[in-house]
Amino acid sequence: MARPKKIEICVCYDFDGTLIWGNMQENSFIPDIGMSLDEFWNDVKKEAESQDMDEVLAYMQLMIEKARNKNIAFTRQHLMAHGQGLEYFPGVEGWFKSINDYGTETGSTIKHFVISSGLLEMIEGSTIADNFDRIFASGFSYDANKVPKFAARSVNFTTKTQYLYRINKKVLNSWNSEAVNRFMPDAERPNPFSRMIYIGDGETDVPAMKTLNYQGGYSIAVYPPKKGARRTKAEQEKKETAEKLVTQNRAKFVAEADFRKDKQLYKIVKGLIRRIVDESVLEMNLNAK
């Protein structure tokens, strides 16, 4: 059978709880403002409820307010610095090369995308930022001194699906609504949903997962590895949440968020890449007849 010159496969990732332990603000920002994690996130929920507000916008607003109240510098550069010490799940830093190498073996090119409710600036400051072809995440707009003045983007559980369509049509920005909404026949879309894999950790990823499932793509629910000999109650709850996504037909696969080559997640993604390549070759040959 003839083989296409190039098969592009898009792997899309949530970030917090998918590639790193916990939420990115918890690594250094929340400790720097003198709050416990529970205090900060409880304040976020209270603010969102009292103002009938999107929770992502609420946490962004509170970050600005809390930093200002503590006289802590809060610029784009400082936010990027907070991203430098993120704690990754096992194998994350070597994951991208391993997956890219396997893609090359199969005759495919792997493109990596982040679709996250976390902050673009912190992700861009992380040591793995250069591995992504595009990072779609919440973020601020800035004044001339690079001080946040307003929210530029809020990526929540429903808007994540918008970015799948942007990737699907190769409209790789957040502002061009006309291009992403313009009719484009499925056969002409640069990145078919059937060549996309989404990896996420929880219920906020459900709309994105279901979109891919419905459109012929693949979704994987992940849960944190245990840090000790036994799972804590919180770790067990996250595991059960991920497993439930599969039993409820929201995600197609479930695996521990261990990205090393000998672990189940790598085997699943490797198998999906091979499946996508084989199906693409078959489709091309059938269309050629």
Side-chain angles (χ1 to χ4, degrees):
M1 289 195 302
R3 179 174 292 273
K5 291 181 179 179
K6 188 176 184 181
I7 298 171
E8 284 195 3
I9 298 173
C10 299
V11 184
C12 306
Y13 310 83
D14 176 42
F15 201 84
D16 295 351
T18 296
L19 297 174
I20 66 170
W21 294 92
N23 295 305
M24 60 185 69
Q25 298 87 351
E26 298 171 358
N27 178 66
S28 57
F29 176 79
I30 296 176
D32 282 359
I33 60 174
M35 298 184 74
S36 70
L37 305 187
D38 286 344
E39 286 173 335
F40 181 81
W41 294 116
N42 286 338
D43 281 1
V44 169
K45 290 185 179 297
K46 289 177 183 176
E47 183 72 8
E49 185 175 349
S50 67
Q51 301 296 329
D52 194 19
M53 188 178 190
D54 182 292
E55 273 197 24
V56 176
L57 293 174
Y59 91 65
M60 294 172 72
Q61 175 181 295
L62 282 176
M63 287 181 74
I64 294 174
E65 291 180 0
K66 300 295 184 182
R68 183 186 300 129
N69 292 342
K70 290 286 185 177
N71 292 316
I72 293 174
F74 194 78
T75 65
R76 193 177 197 286
Q77 183 178 0
H78 288 97
L79 285 170
M80 290 185 68
H82 282 298
Q84 292 174 6
L86 298 176
E87 185 180 4
Y88 304 113
F89 284 131
V92 165
E93 290 178 287
W95 165 265
F96 305 97
K97 183 180 185 307
S98 297
I99 289 298
N100 292 344
D101 287 347
Y102 183 71
T104 300
E105 288 179 29
T106 62
S108 62
T109 300
I110 312 299
K111 302 290 185 179
H112 302 274
F113 298 88
V114 169
I115 306 176
S116 171
S117 296
L119 288 175
L120 170 68
E121 296 84 352
M122 288 190 181
I123 300 173
E124 287 183 335
S126 72
T127 60
I128 60 173
D130 289 344
N131 293 289
F132 302 112
D133 292 85
R134 190 70 165 82
I135 299 170
F136 295 111
S138 303
F140 297 100
S141 62
Y142 295 88
D143 63 19
N145 296 313
K146 300 299 181 183
V147 176
K149 60 180 182 179
F150 200 73
R153 293 167 310 282
S154 168
V155 179
N156 60 32
F157 66 100
T158 53
T159 55
K160 285 184 176 185
T161 60
Q162 173 197 149
Y163 290 102
L164 290 178
Y165 279 93
R166 288 185 179 276
I167 295 166
N168 172 237
K169 294 183 176 182
K170 232 168 193 175
V171 183
L172 302 182
N173 57 56
S174 297
W175 58 268
N176 195 338
S177 298
E178 190 277 330
V180 77
N181 287 315
R182 185 189 308 138
F183 175 74
M184 181 184 291
D186 289 348
E188 296 178 13
R189 298 186 182 191
N191 294 314
F193 288 116
S194 59
R195 297 181 192 173
M196 295 172 69
I197 301 167
Y198 184 92
I199 304 175
D201 72 303
E203 294 181 352
T204 59
D205 298 301
V206 166
M209 290 176 169
K210 292 195 72 174
T211 295
L212 275 195
N213 294 348
Y214 179 75
Q215 297 284 359
Y218 304 92
S219 56
I220 305 171
V222 296
Y223 56 89
K226 58 186 178 183
K227 281 192 170 182
R230 299 179 61 183
R231 292 191 180 279
T232 64
K233 182 179 179 182
E235 289 171 347
Q236 183 61 28
E237 287 175 351
K238 289 182 181 295
K239 181 176 185 291
E240 291 172 359
T241 295
E243 291 171 340
K244 193 179 296 182
L245 293 180
V246 174
T247 60
Q248 294 174 342
N249 293 319
R250 293 177 164 192
K252 288 193 174 181
F253 301 92
V254 63
E256 193 173 60
D258 190 325
F259 290 77
R260 290 174 289 186
K261 290 181 72 171
D262 60 336
K263 301 299 181 180
Q264 185 68 16
L265 180 59
Y266 179 81
K267 295 174 183 177
I268 292 172
V269 174
K270 182 178 175 180
L272 291 176
I273 291 171
R274 170 57 67 184
R275 177 173 179 171
I276 291 169
V277 170
D278 289 346
E279 288 179 345
S280 298
V281 171
L282 178 61
E283 181 181 5
M284 185 202 70
N285 281 279
L286 289 175
N287 290 337
K289 291 181 178 180

